[in-house]
Amino acid sequence: MGQQHLAGPVTVKLVEDHQVVVDGVRSWFGPPPSPVELVAQGPTIESVAGTDADVLLLDLNLNGTMVIDRVAELCQGGQRVIVFSEHEEPEIVRAVLDAGASAFIGKGRATRESCVETILEVAADRPSVTLPMAQAIATDERAHRPQLSDKERAALLFWFQSMSKASVAARMGIKERTVRQYIDRARVKYAAAGRPAPTKEKLLICAIQDGLIQPDEVTVYTSLAAKTPPDRR
């Protein structure tokens, strides 16, 4: 899967109502040439609304009020939201992911390295799975997690490895039409579950969030026998 290339540092705006946390996050990013730059911070969502940034880092408990219900609104507005919270209960993590958050960072276990890595992954529209997310996924038994057949999963995995649908078909010994059916069937299942995944990137993120695909499985497949360009449709 192709990466989005960003010019200059990734910009972040932080919504956090505790100054000690703000100071800590700012120190993690450091001065230039740090790969991440804090361009705005404030104690409310509205206080940073006028600043454009690649990523919004959002605390869930602001001035004593949980703002889980604002996550969907922010994501639908086109923002890449990373929740940064001490509330790591699986049901809360699942709620913000279902609302469209790109990742969840637990304050209690966050380090500079893990925080910066997650921000860079999200800014480049790459899937990111942190420990709280992995735990929430592992304990999720809700019916809206689509179940994929072994062949559907295999077809998706090969496709996510930048193989064309024709190459996937050759690898699996099936027709290209069948590969398309497997991929389309997975999309239909996610749409039926209320989690539409119309793009390859969104489908990959959903599959990783549900534990159907492991991040380390998504490696780039290369073949000396074929020069077919990756299929991103």
Side-chain angles (χ1 to χ4, degrees):
M1 184 175 65
Q3 298 179 8
Q4 173 184 342
H5 296 282
L6 301 171
V10 169
T11 54
V12 177
K13 52 184 179 181
L14 170 66
V15 178
E16 169 61 59
D17 61 341
H18 290 91
Q19 189 61 44
V20 65
V21 177
V22 174
D23 292 342
V25 170
R26 182 180 287 112
S27 71
W28 281 353
F29 298 163
S34 171
V36 178
E37 178 184 0
L38 184 64
V39 295
Q41 62 84 20
T44 65
I45 293 171
E46 288 71 24
S47 66
V48 301
T51 304
D52 290 331
D54 298 314
V55 173
L56 171 63
L57 198 58
L58 175 69
D59 185 15
L60 285 182
N61 190 341
L62 300 174
N63 304 297
T65 301
M66 294 292 284
V67 294
I68 297 175
D69 59 343
R70 300 291 302 276
V71 174
E73 165 197 337
L74 293 167
C75 295
Q76 290 168 7
Q79 300 193 64
R80 300 180 183 91
V81 176
I82 299 177
V83 171
F84 183 53
S85 176
E86 63 184 350
H87 297 280
E88 300 181 33
E89 296 87 345
E91 59 272 18
I92 290 180
V93 177
R94 289 193 289 264
V96 299
L97 294 179
D98 288 348
S102 298
F104 185 106
I105 298 175
K107 284 185 178 179
R109 290 176 283 191
T111 64
R112 177 193 180 280
E113 291 73 18
S114 64
C115 183
V116 169
E117 179 182 8
T118 299
I119 289 171
L120 294 177
E121 289 175 341
V122 168
D125 294 320
R126 297 194 300 267
S128 179
V129 180
T130 63
L131 184 57
M133 292 170 66
Q135 292 175 334
I137 292 166
T139 57
D140 190 359
E141 298 180 351
R142 296 173 298 172
H144 81 292
R145 295 181 64 198
Q147 298 297 312
L148 303 184
S149 69
D150 290 342
K151 289 186 176 181
E152 287 170 349
R153 180 190 178 280
L156 285 177
L157 179 57
F158 290 140
W159 187 49
F160 291 149
Q161 292 173 339
S162 295
M163 295 176 65
S164 68
K165 294 185 179 73
S167 296
V168 173
R171 179 69 176 266
M172 296 181 66
I174 57 180
K175 295 183 180 298
E176 183 177 349
R177 180 180 65 251
T178 305
V179 173
R180 293 182 182 277
Q181 289 175 345
Y182 286 154
I183 294 171
D184 290 342
R185 195 178 302 160
R187 283 193 169 123
V188 167
K189 289 181 179 181
Y190 271 106
R195 298 166 65 195
T199 66
K200 185 175 186 177
E201 287 77 11
K202 180 61 177 178
L203 188 58
L204 173 57
I205 289 171
C206 287
I208 288 180
Q209 287 179 345
D210 288 348
L212 300 172
I213 301 290
Q214 299 302 312
D216 59 4
E217 292 182 292
V218 187
T219 56
V220 176
Y221 172 83
T222 57
S223 172
L224 299 177
K227 300 296 184 181
T228 308
D231 189 339
R232 304 187 184 284
R233 292 171 294 168

